[in-house]
Amino acid sequence: MNKIRFTLLAASLLAFGIESNAQWNLTGNSNATATSYVGTTNGIPLRLGTKALARVTIDSTGRVGVGTSTPVNILTVKGAGSTPAASWVSAGAPLFVGFGETTVGNADFILGMGAAAANARPVFIGRRSRGTLAVPAAVVSNDNLMSFLASAYDGTSFQNPASIDFYADGAPTAGNVPGRISFVTGSNSSNRAERLKIGSTGDISVTTGNLLVAKKANIKGIVGVNGDTLLGTALMVNANATNDGIRVANPVDKYVLYATKSGNNQGIYVTKSSTASTNGCIVGQSTGTSPGLEGYSKNGNGVYAQSDNSAAVYAVSNTENGVYGSTLNALKFAGYFNGDVFSTGAYTGSDARLKTNISDFGNAMEIIGALQPRNYNFKKEGVYASLQLPQGLHYGLIAQDLEKVLPNLVKESTVTIKDYKTNNEDGTEKSHEVSFKAVNYTELIPIMIKGMQEQAKENEQLKNQNADLETRLAKLEAMMTAGKSIADGKLQNVELSSASLEQNVPNPPVGNATRITYNIPKAAIKAELILTDVYGKKLKQITLTNKGKGNVNVDTSGLAAGTYSYTLLVDGKVIETKKMVVTGN
């Protein structure tokens, strides 16, 4: 029988209960006891080896190293590299194999621990790099980081129908490697395919089969929650050309699609880009008393729809409004249309039952006179191109001008332009907002109607005044033609050869002053200039003392705007009458 003497570990042999000169039988020993062991009694690690090389090391704390003399945990396995092996397989051969045969129970692989710390837990790590373990290199996007593979026997061989795979979900940077999880199913390794994917940003997408089937009595089938961020997507559906994105069959008296969201983006956002399709992105139809499509938002649009070939929103109702929109934000609109709007009829609520503090108003012509109609073109560059403002020359009012006269007809507004993007300070993309003032042209109509009524009334008054004035002038002209004037209440013959009256200059007066030139016969005894209004009421009487040709300055500061008459009387005889127009100063 071959025997070997342990000369290197004499102390451990003594502890094992064998004298230093004792023999260790390679075929077995019968002198071991319940407290016997092979090892050291000091801080020197126990090493087991082959070919004069240490292969297994047990250090002084009890940690076991396979392929390494410096274990870092209870069991450290190292391959050919200088760092612990990143898998349980070396060169395709399993390092450890466990079998669960016909024994009762499960063939479990359990990692257990107990600790008071909240974040303490068993961890299974699959460590992956490019290069080698000794000289690792960074992974690249779409590198497979690790997998959990399920294998089952089909009666002839083992098939691998399902796996959970982990990938790099983008290029790594210092301190960051984006990762995603792929859930793969099938019937064998050749037909299994990715069914569900969770990206590094939390997006969940289904790539094949039914998008999502969820059914459970008395509770919601699918609940989508944004999580820690209000800017993400709770549920994103990407359907192919032949299948529906989301279909809810026969919801009876429940919502077909119901979404609430308190963040900044849409509660429901659907895009459909197929140019061959004429179906709408969202079609809402209801045969009951509830709306076919209802949208409510605290910050964004209640309903936002976009279509390339068909109506973005198509709504028909048999008993209620086809489209009903409202907003609680004074700076927004219940409906905003980025383009021309056509309607076969338009009405505004004007019932007396809807109104209070009803009263008449005046001075409409003063309001109209203060308005400044302009012609203009709309801007088309930059963000204004996304507003789709009308082309060509237009006529209207400038909101800032109207605001000075009728501020209640001007509304300050902001509109989010989704087709024009700018970046935040952190580089993330955001929609651009445009602030502008809008004008309520509809309420200008009653002011124009009132102004026309005021103008009509004034025209009627002027018409009556003109008729009276023409009657008076006709009488004066008849007397002048007959060569007669009024003196002491009697008609007398008048010598008209040298007396005359000229038109006032300037007419209308400027700066409340005008000059009237006349000619009085030298033999005349008394000459006067009489100023009357359109009713014949005498307003001024000026005595003319200079004979022959002369002039007089007339002050019109006390006269209102209108038409007046001035007459030259010589010795009580009417020589001539002229008209003076006063515009007011």
Side-chain angles (χ1 to χ4, degrees):
M1 181 181 296
N2 294 325
K3 297 181 180 179
I4 186 170
R5 182 182 301 275
F6 285 85
T7 59
L8 297 176
L9 301 174
S12 63
L13 293 175
L14 289 173
F16 193 67
I18 304 175
E19 297 295 334
S20 61
N21 61 350
Q23 302 280 320
W24 179 262
N25 195 332
L26 293 178
T27 60
N29 295 274
S30 61
N31 58 346
T33 67
T35 59
S36 299
Y37 65 90
V38 176
T40 66
T41 59
N42 55 20
I44 301 300
L46 173 63
R47 294 185 292 273
L48 303 179
T50 61
K51 291 186 177 182
L53 294 175
R55 308 297 186 181
V56 179
T57 299
I58 305 175
D59 68 9
S60 60
T61 64
R63 293 178 296 190
V64 178
V66 179
T68 177
S69 60
T70 56
V72 296
N73 50 23
I74 192 66
L75 176 62
T76 301
V77 180
K78 293 185 63 175
S82 61
T83 58
S87 78
W88 292 87
V89 179
S90 176
L95 294 179
F96 299 96
V97 178
F99 297 93
E101 299 293 347
T102 59
T103 57
V104 177
N106 299 321
D108 296 331
F109 181 77
I110 300 175
L111 299 177
M113 71 172 295
N119 64 345
R121 74 279 189 196
V123 177
F124 185 88
I125 298 177
R127 183 168 290 168
R128 168 76 157 87
S129 73
R130 290 208 168 200
T132 66
L133 292 176
V135 185
V139 297
V140 300
S141 181
N142 290 319
D143 272 358
N144 194 323
L145 305 183
M146 67 171 291
S147 297
F148 290 104
L149 178 64
S151 184
Y153 195 69
D154 64 1
T156 302
S157 61
F158 279 93
Q159 303 297 331
N160 304 322
S163 67
I164 301 176
D165 301 323
F166 299 82
Y167 292 89
D169 198 31
T173 59
N176 297 282
V177 177
R180 73 173 185 271
I181 303 175
S182 173
F183 294 85
V184 179
T185 62
S187 61
N188 55 53
S189 59
S190 63
N191 65 19
R192 70 174 187 252
E194 181 180 73
R195 312 298 182 181
L196 178 66
K197 178 172 64 177
I198 304 176
S200 59
T201 60
D203 292 339
I204 300 176
S205 59
V206 180
T207 55
T208 60
N210 292 327
L211 290 180
L212 200 57
V213 177
K215 182 178 180 181
K216 191 170 183 181
N218 299 325
I219 67 170
K220 298 178 179 68
I222 302 172
V223 178
V225 181
N226 288 92
D228 294 334
T229 173
L230 293 178
L231 299 177
T233 302
L235 177 63
M236 180 176 180
V237 178
N238 186 5
N240 60 28
T242 59
N243 291 328
D244 299 318
I246 297 177
R247 175 179 291 195
V248 181
N250 192 22
V252 193
D253 59 344
K254 299 299 182 182
Y255 292 100
V256 173
L257 185 60
Y258 179 82
T260 60
K261 189 172 184 293
S262 60
N264 295 324
N265 286 341
Q266 295 82 4
I268 298 175
Y269 178 75
V270 180
T271 62
K272 194 170 188 295
S273 59
S274 174
T275 57
S277 174
T278 58
N279 292 325
C281 291
I282 299 178
V283 177
Q285 183 176 0
S286 174
T287 58
T289 58
S290 297
L293 178 64
E294 180 176 353
Y296 173 79
S297 174
K298 289 185 177 180
N299 295 304
N301 299 302
V303 174
Y304 177 83
Q306 182 176 349
S307 174
D308 293 332
N309 297 301
S310 184
V313 175
Y314 179 80
V316 176
S317 175
N318 292 330
T319 59
E320 281 293 335
N321 302 301
V323 175
Y324 177 85
S326 65
T327 179
L328 303 179
N329 188 340
L331 298 180
K332 297 295 183 179
F333 300 97
Y336 179 86
F337 299 89
N338 194 354
D340 295 338
V341 177
F342 171 80
S343 172
T344 57
Y347 292 88
T348 300
S350 191
D351 195 301
R353 292 170 293 182
L354 303 177
K355 303 176 181 180
T356 185
N357 298 327
I358 301 173
S359 62
D360 292 330
F361 67 93
N363 300 322
M365 289 303 298
E366 291 185 12
I367 296 175
I368 294 174
L371 301 180
Q372 302 180 52
R374 308 287 182 89
N375 57 23
Y376 49 80
N377 297 97
F378 286 102
K379 292 182 178 180
K380 291 294 181 182
E381 65 278 2
V383 66
Y384 299 103
S386 299
L387 288 175
Q388 300 186 35
L389 296 169
Q391 300 279 355
L393 184 67
H394 293 271
Y395 302 88
L397 301 173
I398 305 302
Q400 286 80 356
D401 295 339
L402 179 61
E403 196 171 27
K404 298 175 183 177
V405 182
L406 299 168
N408 56 316
L409 299 190
V410 177
K411 175 184 175 71
E412 185 75 33
S413 306
T414 59
V415 173
T416 300
I417 307 301
K418 296 184 177 297
D419 297 332
Y420 187 86
K421 304 290 187 180
T422 56
N423 291 331
N424 294 306
E425 294 182 357
D426 59 359
T428 57
E429 197 175 64
K430 69 173 182 179
S431 297
H432 194 75
E433 283 196 345
V434 176
S435 296
F436 60 89
K437 296 179 185 291
V439 172
N440 181 357
Y441 279 103
T442 301
E443 290 200 25
L444 287 173
I445 296 175
I447 297 176
M448 290 188 290
I449 294 174
K450 183 67 174 178
M452 293 174 65
Q453 292 174 342
E454 292 178 357
Q455 190 70 42
K457 183 177 181 180
E458 183 177 347
N459 288 341
E460 185 64 26
Q461 292 175 347
L462 292 175
K463 181 179 178 180
N464 294 333
Q465 294 173 4
N466 188 56
D468 182 68
L469 181 61
E470 287 179 351
T471 300
R472 292 173 176 271
L473 287 176
K475 292 180 179 180
L476 291 174
E477 288 175 353
M479 289 189 297
M480 293 173 61
T481 302
K484 299 178 179 180
S485 65
I486 300 174
D488 299 327
K490 299 178 181 179
L491 290 177
Q492 297 180 353
N493 293 327
V494 179
E495 178 60 48
L496 302 177
S497 59
S498 61
S500 64
L501 179 67
E502 297 182 12
Q503 183 67 49
N504 64 299
V505 178
N507 186 28
V510 176
N512 296 322
T514 187
R515 175 173 292 184
I516 299 175
T517 302
Y518 56 84
N519 187 42
I520 302 173
K522 295 187 180 297
I525 300 174
K526 182 179 180 182
E528 295 176 306
L529 194 63
I530 307 298
L531 182 65
T532 60
D533 60 15
V534 293
Y535 300 105
K537 181 181 179 180
K538 185 187 296 184
L539 301 177
K540 288 181 180 291
Q541 181 174 338
I542 303 173
T543 300
L544 305 176
T545 58
N546 296 328
K547 304 295 178 65
K549 190 170 184 177
N551 55 69
V552 63
N553 291 325
V554 178
D555 183 5
T556 62
S557 60
L559 302 179
T563 301
Y564 299 86
S565 298
Y566 60 92
T567 303
L568 177 63
L569 293 173
V570 178
D571 293 337
K573 302 172 183 143
V574 175
I575 303 301
E576 195 171 358
T577 299
K578 300 285 186 180
K579 291 183 179 180
M580 176 191 300
V581 178
V582 177
T583 59
N585 295 284

